[in-house]
Amino acid sequence: MPPETWIEHRRPGDRERLGWIRPDGDGFVAHDALGREATGTVDWLTAEEALEERGLHWLADLYQLDLPDGTRERVRLVEVTPERVVVKVDDFGAVDVVTASYVLPFPAPDTLRPFEGDATTFDGGLLPD
């Protein structure tokens, strides 16, 4: 759950939640839908513009999740709420494949990050650190 001091920011028009803006001294910091900082300390208008420019399209991107056993999974976001982030192992678009899901806290942990491998290969070219 975002702290009470975070102010929800919704996109004009369709009112989709793009993230939050939190006070920081004399300025504000924008946080994206995963609860991660999207700006440093800026003025209010710049924080709003940063969230609106970022939008939500990036939520459809590939991610990778570092697991406690040291392995990594190529994952996709399936649910992002102020309570939790749910990802599932990438099924490569197959509707009949059941894959593992992981429920993560909000804000999303650093173990979830944009995919660093080759998205055009089956194994993704993901190598351990």
Side-chain angles (χ1 to χ4, degrees):
M1 237 9 219
E4 289 181 18
T5 57
W6 289 20
I7 302 159
E8 185 177 78
H9 179 71
R10 292 185 176 266
R11 183 169 45 203
D14 65 7
R15 306 294 299 148
E16 285 284 338
R17 181 180 46 243
L18 298 176
W20 292 264
I21 300 173
R22 74 169 164 83
D24 185 44
D26 291 334
F28 302 91
V29 176
H31 289 260
D32 65 20
L34 292 175
R36 296 178 172 166
E37 288 188 7
T39 67
T41 302
V42 295
D43 63 75
W44 180 267
L45 184 59
T46 302
E48 284 186 322
E49 289 171 347
L51 291 174
E52 289 167 19
E53 182 178 308
R54 184 169 178 128
L56 295 173
H57 59 87
W58 57 275
L59 292 173
D61 293 344
L62 275 173
Y63 287 81
Q64 63 189 44
L65 179 65
D66 294 331
L67 301 175
D69 67 2
T71 61
R72 288 188 184 141
E73 291 280 10
R74 173 179 161 148
V75 298
R76 296 217 179 248
L77 301 172
V78 293
E79 180 183 344
V80 177
T81 71
E83 291 80 33
R84 66 187 193 167
V85 175
V86 180
V87 299
K88 71 171 186 167
V89 174
D90 187 25
D91 60 15
F92 301 94
V95 295
D96 59 344
V97 175
V98 177
T99 62
S101 293
Y102 301 93
V103 178
L104 308 172
F106 178 92
D110 292 339
T111 55
L112 177 69
R113 56 187 191 277
F115 186 69
E116 297 171 352
D118 180 355
T120 64
T121 63
F122 184 72
D123 68 2
L126 254 183
L127 300 173
D129 284 335

